[in-house]
Amino acid sequence: MTKNAKNSFFSPSKIVFYMLSLVIFYFAVHYMAKLKDIKTLLLEMNPVWLFLAVAAQIFTYVFNAFILKVLLDKDTKEMPLRVLVKISVVVLFVNQALPTGGISGNGYVFNQLVKRQIDALRAFSVLVLESVGYYIAFLGSILFFFCWYAIEHTPMNRIIVYTSIVGFAFYCFLLLIMAVLSNWRTWRTILRRLNRYPKIKRYIKKINLPGLTKGKQGIWKMFLNNKKGTFMVIAIQCCIIFFDALTVYAILKGFHVALPAHVIIFGLLLSLVIGALPISPGSLIAYESAMTYYFTVLGAPVHAALIVTLIFRFLTFWLPIPVGLFLYRNLQHDSNIQ
């Protein structure tokens, strides 16, 4: 084996691919029985509502692509919407498989943009504003619907209160991290220390990370330079949350179960808090248990909460796994050609 072949075999993108493959193998071995139950439920579900649930999920990927298109602006001439949709599918897949509040997917976005000749500083600004937009949309949503819940329920369920507080604190923490990482001085310090290691130094140079220190930007300057785009991103992120809630609504209606819209959205937001925490790969068991519990507490029958959890996880997690893995390799191949 030549030295170049060996380096290619152990390149960062290949290592990520191997890790994701192992995660998927773990899922397949331990949770295959659930997929049989999901198949039975899908066959029993009203096909019209099933179509609506699938369509809502497709729109989440399209809207994520629109976020990149809005933030890249003129640079999207080099990246057609088709490529951006592929990236959005992989990003959501990576974020689901490796839950870190969206940070894991950000690294992938940055790598893909730089490989497609987008300036490193520009690519970093895109992922910062995309993340900030999501954090603000989520924080605003969970605060609004928690207040609604607090008005309607006395006394409040302690688990729901604790989850809301943890979710709010967690996303505020992520927002703070993004503010720190967006500062050019932070990257100057980080790069100065990482450059001590030759292999890491070569990779840093390859993806042009030193370019992050040239613009001398911070999160506030990024916002001022793209105020319209940032507000559009926040609005689109709210739409994505709506489409996820619409998926849950369609699943419930497909089994003739009614639940108020604000209850569905709040139950989904609470579940997303658990899904974002780095508990386990894909937040397996924790996410399913949490979603079933929250919807049951919020008024859904136990059997309906179980059905929603199984089908929603299938549409947002299990189904995108093979698609996301295929597109991951496809995008890597395309970027290498470029």
Side-chain angles (χ1 to χ4, degrees):
M1 184 181 290
T2 65
K3 185 175 180 180
N4 289 336
K6 186 176 180 181
N7 289 337
S8 176
F9 189 76
F10 290 103
S11 65
S13 63
K14 290 285 182 67
I15 292 173
V16 172
F17 177 75
Y18 302 146
M19 289 175 61
L20 292 176
S21 299
L22 287 173
V23 170
I24 290 169
F25 178 75
Y26 171 81
F27 294 155
V29 170
H30 291 275
Y31 292 91
M32 191 61 70
K34 283 188 177 181
L35 298 181
K36 296 178 181 178
D37 296 333
I38 293 169
K39 179 182 176 182
T40 302
L41 290 172
L42 290 174
L43 292 173
E44 293 177 358
M45 188 176 173
N46 184 305
V48 175
W49 291 109
L50 176 59
F51 174 79
L52 179 60
V54 173
Q57 280 306 298
I58 292 173
F59 273 111
T60 63
Y61 300 119
V62 175
F63 273 55
N64 267 289
F66 279 143
I67 288 174
L68 296 177
K69 188 175 180 63
V70 167
L71 292 175
L72 286 169
D73 197 17
K74 297 176 182 178
D75 292 326
T76 50
K77 293 179 180 179
E78 303 295 328
M79 299 184 67
L81 184 63
R82 172 179 55 84
V83 174
L84 295 177
V85 170
K86 285 183 179 181
I87 291 175
S88 71
V89 173
V90 177
V91 167
L92 290 176
F93 158 65
V94 171
N95 283 333
Q96 289 269 14
L98 305 172
T100 52
I103 294 176
S104 53
N106 285 345
Y108 179 80
V109 173
F110 179 81
N111 191 37
Q112 283 296 313
L113 294 181
V114 170
K115 281 186 175 182
R116 286 171 167 75
Q117 310 307 313
I118 304 296
D119 179 72
L121 188 61
R122 178 71 168 155
F124 184 67
S125 175
V126 167
L127 71 89
V128 167
L129 294 177
E130 186 274 335
S131 298
V132 169
Y134 175 69
Y135 299 154
I136 292 174
F138 190 91
L139 287 167
S141 298
I142 197 167
L143 180 62
F144 176 80
F145 286 101
F146 175 75
C147 291
W148 195 331
Y149 170 78
I151 292 171
E152 289 189 345
H153 296 80
T154 304
M156 294 185 288
N157 180 280
R158 288 186 179 182
I159 302 298
I160 288 180
V161 173
Y162 294 154
T163 304
S164 301
I165 293 172
V166 168
F168 197 85
F170 180 65
Y171 279 99
C172 283
F173 174 70
L174 291 177
L175 197 58
L176 178 62
I177 287 179
M178 201 56 64
V180 172
L181 289 178
S182 67
N183 190 295
W184 65 276
R185 294 183 181 84
T186 302
W187 279 104
R188 185 178 62 182
T189 303
I190 292 173
L191 294 176
R192 187 184 299 154
R193 295 185 179 183
L194 291 178
N195 281 332
R196 299 172 186 173
Y197 308 97
K199 289 185 178 180
I200 297 178
K201 184 178 181 179
R202 284 196 297 270
Y203 183 71
I204 287 173
K205 188 176 181 180
K206 180 181 177 182
I207 61 175
N208 195 26
L209 280 182
L212 300 183
T213 63
K214 295 178 181 179
K216 296 187 177 181
Q217 292 197 61
I219 194 169
W220 182 245
K221 191 173 181 180
M222 290 179 186
F223 168 73
L224 291 176
N225 290 339
N226 202 349
K227 287 185 285 187
K228 182 180 178 181
T230 305
F231 285 121
M232 287 182 67
V233 167
I234 294 171
I236 296 172
Q237 292 286 15
C238 290
C239 289
I240 292 172
I241 294 173
F242 166 77
F243 282 123
D244 277 334
L246 181 60
T247 303
V248 176
Y249 174 80
I251 296 169
L252 287 169
K253 294 295 289 184
F255 288 93
H256 311 289
V257 178
L259 209 61
H262 66 280
V263 172
I264 291 174
I265 297 174
F266 189 47
L268 173 67
L269 291 171
L270 293 171
S271 303
L272 291 176
V273 169
I274 303 301
L277 299 175
I279 299 171
S280 63
S283 294
L284 286 169
I285 301 178
Y287 189 100
E288 287 84 355
S289 302
M291 192 171 195
T292 303
Y293 174 79
Y294 293 133
F295 275 98
T296 302
V297 170
L298 290 171
V302 176
H303 73 279
L306 286 168
I307 289 172
V308 165
T309 300
L310 286 172
I311 298 181
F312 183 80
R313 283 291 268 175
F314 173 74
L315 295 176
T316 61
F317 183 70
W318 295 106
L319 189 59
I321 281 179
V323 178
L325 196 61
F326 170 77
L327 291 179
Y328 182 91
R329 291 298 298 139
N330 178 260
L331 287 168
Q332 288 298 128
H333 179 263
D334 291 348
S335 62
N336 288 337
I337 291 176
Q338 291 182 356

